[in-house]
mmCIF file of all heavy atoms in Angstrom:
data_model
loop_
_atom_site.group_PDB
_atom_site.id
_atom_site.type_symbol
_atom_site.label_atom_id
_atom_site.label_comp_id
_atom_site.label_asym_id
_atom_site.label_seq_id
_atom_site.Cartn_x
_atom_site.Cartn_y
_atom_site.Cartn_z
ATOM 1 N N SER N 1 10.861 -14.411 6.745
ATOM 2 C CA SER N 1 10.318 -13.067 6.541
ATOM 3 C C SER N 1 9.325 -12.985 5.394
ATOM 4 O O SER N 1 8.695 -11.938 5.186
ATOM 5 C CB SER N 1 11.456 -12.080 6.285
ATOM 6 O OG SER N 1 12.169 -12.438 5.106
ATOM 7 N N ALA N 2 9.147 -14.063 4.646
ATOM 8 C CA ALA N 2 8.268 -14.032 3.466
ATOM 9 C C ALA N 2 6.826 -13.694 3.832
ATOM 10 O O ALA N 2 6.126 -13.012 3.076
ATOM 11 C CB ALA N 2 8.333 -15.366 2.734
ATOM 12 N N GLY N 3 6.370 -14.157 5.000
ATOM 13 C CA GLY N 3 5.001 -13.849 5.423
ATOM 14 C C GLY N 3 4.783 -12.361 5.601
ATOM 15 O O GLY N 3 3.724 -11.827 5.246
ATOM 16 N N CYS N 4 5.792 -11.683 6.162
ATOM 17 C CA CYS N 4 5.694 -10.224 6.322
ATOM 18 C C CYS N 4 5.567 -9.544 4.965
ATOM 19 O O CYS N 4 4.764 -8.618 4.795
ATOM 20 C CB CYS N 4 6.926 -9.695 7.054
ATOM 21 S SG CYS N 4 7.039 -10.173 8.791
ATOM 22 N N LEU N 5 6.362 -9.998 3.989
ATOM 23 C CA LEU N 5 6.295 -9.403 2.652
ATOM 24 C C LEU N 5 4.924 -9.630 2.033
ATOM 25 O O LEU N 5 4.358 -8.734 1.401
ATOM 26 C CB LEU N 5 7.383 -9.983 1.754
ATOM 27 C CG LEU N 5 7.405 -9.467 0.309
ATOM 28 C CD1 LEU N 5 7.523 -7.954 0.272
ATOM 29 C CD2 LEU N 5 8.535 -10.110 -0.487
ATOM 30 N N PHE N 6 4.365 -10.826 2.216
ATOM 31 C CA PHE N 6 3.043 -11.128 1.651
ATOM 32 C C PHE N 6 1.994 -10.143 2.180
ATOM 33 O O PHE N 6 1.233 -9.547 1.413
ATOM 34 C CB PHE N 6 2.644 -12.560 1.988
ATOM 35 C CG PHE N 6 1.281 -12.947 1.472
ATOM 36 C CD1 PHE N 6 1.123 -13.438 0.189
ATOM 37 C CD2 PHE N 6 0.151 -12.795 2.269
ATOM 38 C CE1 PHE N 6 -0.139 -13.781 -0.301
ATOM 39 C CE2 PHE N 6 -1.107 -13.138 1.793
ATOM 40 C CZ PHE N 6 -1.254 -13.637 0.510
ATOM 41 N N PHE N 7 1.955 -9.967 3.508
ATOM 42 C CA PHE N 7 0.929 -9.100 4.097
ATOM 43 C C PHE N 7 1.171 -7.632 3.756
ATOM 44 O O PHE N 7 0.214 -6.889 3.490
ATOM 45 C CB PHE N 7 0.885 -9.289 5.618
ATOM 46 C CG PHE N 7 0.313 -10.615 6.036
ATOM 47 C CD1 PHE N 7 1.069 -11.518 6.766
ATOM 48 C CD2 PHE N 7 -0.992 -10.956 5.703
ATOM 49 C CE1 PHE N 7 0.549 -12.753 7.151
ATOM 50 C CE2 PHE N 7 -1.535 -12.187 6.086
ATOM 51 C CZ PHE N 7 -0.760 -13.085 6.803
ATOM 52 N N LEU N 8 2.419 -7.204 3.727
ATOM 53 C CA LEU N 8 2.695 -5.816 3.350
ATOM 54 C C LEU N 8 2.358 -5.559 1.890
ATOM 55 O O LEU N 8 1.944 -4.454 1.521
ATOM 56 C CB LEU N 8 4.171 -5.488 3.605
ATOM 57 C CG LEU N 8 4.559 -5.173 5.053
ATOM 58 C CD1 LEU N 8 6.069 -5.055 5.182
ATOM 59 C CD2 LEU N 8 3.892 -3.894 5.546
ATOM 60 N N SER N 9 2.522 -6.574 1.050
ATOM 61 C CA SER N 9 2.228 -6.422 -0.381
ATOM 62 C C SER N 9 0.763 -6.087 -0.624
ATOM 63 O O SER N 9 0.430 -5.346 -1.549
ATOM 64 C CB SER N 9 2.598 -7.703 -1.134
ATOM 65 O OG SER N 9 3.963 -7.988 -0.997
ATOM 66 N N ILE N 10 -0.117 -6.643 0.216
ATOM 67 C CA ILE N 10 -1.551 -6.357 0.060
ATOM 68 C C ILE N 10 -1.808 -4.859 0.186
ATOM 69 O O ILE N 10 -2.673 -4.295 -0.487
ATOM 70 C CB ILE N 10 -2.363 -7.132 1.124
ATOM 71 C CG1 ILE N 10 -2.175 -8.644 0.933
ATOM 72 C CG2 ILE N 10 -3.853 -6.770 1.046
ATOM 73 C CD1 ILE N 10 -2.759 -9.484 2.056
ATOM 74 N N GLY N 11 -1.039 -4.214 1.039
ATOM 75 C CA GLY N 11 -1.270 -2.791 1.289
ATOM 76 C C GLY N 11 -0.662 -1.846 0.279
ATOM 77 O O GLY N 11 -0.945 -0.643 0.316
ATOM 78 N N ILE N 12 0.168 -2.362 -0.650
ATOM 79 C CA ILE N 12 0.871 -1.462 -1.573
ATOM 80 C C ILE N 12 -0.098 -0.659 -2.428
ATOM 81 O O ILE N 12 0.074 0.552 -2.620
ATOM 82 C CB ILE N 12 1.842 -2.257 -2.469
ATOM 83 C CG1 ILE N 12 3.043 -2.732 -1.640
ATOM 84 C CG2 ILE N 12 2.333 -1.401 -3.634
ATOM 85 C CD1 ILE N 12 3.999 -3.623 -2.410
ATOM 86 N N VAL N 13 -1.124 -1.295 -2.945
ATOM 87 C CA VAL N 13 -2.063 -0.579 -3.813
ATOM 88 C C VAL N 13 -2.766 0.527 -3.032
ATOM 89 O O VAL N 13 -3.008 1.626 -3.562
ATOM 90 C CB VAL N 13 -3.076 -1.560 -4.456
ATOM 91 C CG1 VAL N 13 -3.988 -2.183 -3.417
ATOM 92 C CG2 VAL N 13 -3.900 -0.840 -5.521
ATOM 93 N N PHE N 14 -3.063 0.277 -1.753
ATOM 94 C CA PHE N 14 -3.690 1.317 -0.929
ATOM 95 C C PHE N 14 -2.689 2.420 -0.581
ATOM 96 O O PHE N 14 -3.067 3.589 -0.460
ATOM 97 C CB PHE N 14 -4.269 0.693 0.347
ATOM 98 C CG PHE N 14 -5.393 -0.259 0.085
ATOM 99 C CD1 PHE N 14 -5.167 -1.627 0.038
ATOM 100 C CD2 PHE N 14 -6.678 0.215 -0.140
ATOM 101 C CE1 PHE N 14 -6.204 -2.512 -0.217
ATOM 102 C CE2 PHE N 14 -7.722 -0.660 -0.391
ATOM 103 C CZ PHE N 14 -7.480 -2.033 -0.437
ATOM 104 N N LEU N 15 -1.422 2.047 -0.428
ATOM 105 C CA LEU N 15 -0.373 3.048 -0.208
ATOM 106 C C LEU N 15 -0.260 3.965 -1.412
ATOM 107 O O LEU N 15 -0.112 5.185 -1.266
ATOM 108 C CB LEU N 15 0.955 2.355 0.078
ATOM 109 C CG LEU N 15 2.191 3.248 0.261
ATOM 110 C CD1 LEU N 15 2.008 4.195 1.432
ATOM 111 C CD2 LEU N 15 3.445 2.396 0.453
ATOM 112 N N CYS N 16 -0.325 3.398 -2.615
ATOM 113 C CA CYS N 16 -0.280 4.209 -3.843
ATOM 114 C C CYS N 16 -1.450 5.182 -3.892
ATOM 115 O O CYS N 16 -1.288 6.361 -4.242
ATOM 116 C CB CYS N 16 -0.275 3.302 -5.067
ATOM 117 S SG CYS N 16 1.259 2.394 -5.331
ATOM 118 N N ILE N 17 -2.650 4.688 -3.551
ATOM 119 C CA ILE N 17 -3.831 5.556 -3.533
ATOM 120 C C ILE N 17 -3.667 6.651 -2.483
ATOM 121 O O ILE N 17 -3.966 7.828 -2.728
ATOM 122 C CB ILE N 17 -5.105 4.739 -3.263
ATOM 123 C CG1 ILE N 17 -5.382 3.795 -4.442
ATOM 124 C CG2 ILE N 17 -6.306 5.645 -3.027
ATOM 125 C CD1 ILE N 17 -6.492 2.794 -4.182
ATOM 126 N N ALA N 18 -3.179 6.256 -1.289
ATOM 127 C CA ALA N 18 -3.019 7.217 -0.196
ATOM 128 C C ALA N 18 -2.060 8.329 -0.590
ATOM 129 O O ALA N 18 -2.345 9.522 -0.378
ATOM 130 C CB ALA N 18 -2.515 6.494 1.052
ATOM 131 N N GLN N 19 -0.906 7.971 -1.177
ATOM 132 C CA GLN N 19 0.079 8.980 -1.563
ATOM 133 C C GLN N 19 -0.456 9.873 -2.672
ATOM 134 O O GLN N 19 -0.253 11.090 -2.659
ATOM 135 C CB GLN N 19 1.377 8.296 -2.024
ATOM 136 C CG GLN N 19 2.121 7.543 -0.933
ATOM 137 C CD GLN N 19 2.954 8.462 -0.045
ATOM 138 O OE1 GLN N 19 2.596 9.603 0.197
ATOM 139 N NE2 GLN N 19 4.054 7.956 0.456
ATOM 140 N N THR N 20 -1.117 9.277 -3.651
ATOM 141 C CA THR N 20 -1.637 10.051 -4.775
ATOM 142 C C THR N 20 -2.704 11.044 -4.327
ATOM 143 O O THR N 20 -2.702 12.213 -4.726
ATOM 144 C CB THR N 20 -2.227 9.115 -5.847
ATOM 145 O OG1 THR N 20 -1.230 8.179 -6.253
ATOM 146 C CG2 THR N 20 -2.693 9.900 -7.054
ATOM 147 N N MET N 21 -3.623 10.582 -3.486
ATOM 148 C CA MET N 21 -4.670 11.469 -2.993
ATOM 149 C C MET N 21 -4.100 12.535 -2.053
ATOM 150 O O MET N 21 -4.590 13.659 -1.999
ATOM 151 C CB MET N 21 -5.752 10.658 -2.282
ATOM 152 C CG MET N 21 -6.532 9.712 -3.199
ATOM 153 S SD MET N 21 -7.472 10.552 -4.501
ATOM 154 C CE MET N 21 -6.485 10.137 -5.959
ATOM 155 N N ALA N 22 -3.032 12.195 -1.309
ATOM 156 C CA ALA N 22 -2.368 13.195 -0.467
ATOM 157 C C ALA N 22 -1.761 14.286 -1.336
ATOM 158 O O ALA N 22 -1.830 15.481 -0.994
ATOM 159 C CB ALA N 22 -1.297 12.534 0.395
ATOM 160 N N GLY N 23 -1.157 13.901 -2.462
ATOM 161 C CA GLY N 23 -0.623 14.878 -3.397
ATOM 162 C C GLY N 23 -1.717 15.767 -3.976
ATOM 163 O O GLY N 23 -1.529 16.974 -4.154
ATOM 164 N N THR N 24 -2.865 15.166 -4.242
ATOM 165 C CA THR N 24 -4.005 15.934 -4.745
ATOM 166 C C THR N 24 -4.465 16.954 -3.714
ATOM 167 O O THR N 24 -4.721 18.124 -4.040
ATOM 168 C CB THR N 24 -5.166 14.989 -5.103
ATOM 169 O OG1 THR N 24 -4.736 14.059 -6.092
ATOM 170 C CG2 THR N 24 -6.358 15.769 -5.622
ATOM 171 N N LEU N 25 -4.578 16.522 -2.453
ATOM 172 C CA LEU N 25 -4.992 17.435 -1.386
ATOM 173 C C LEU N 25 -3.993 18.572 -1.205
ATOM 174 O O LEU N 25 -4.373 19.715 -0.963
ATOM 175 C CB LEU N 25 -5.152 16.655 -0.072
ATOM 176 C CG LEU N 25 -6.342 15.684 -0.021
ATOM 177 C CD1 LEU N 25 -6.244 14.781 1.191
ATOM 178 C CD2 LEU N 25 -7.658 16.471 0.007
#
């Protein structure tokens, strides 16, 4: 399952941006 974690980890920073900007909206 480590490969799945690696690829999902790339998206974490974009998830943080998405949630923060959603809160702003």
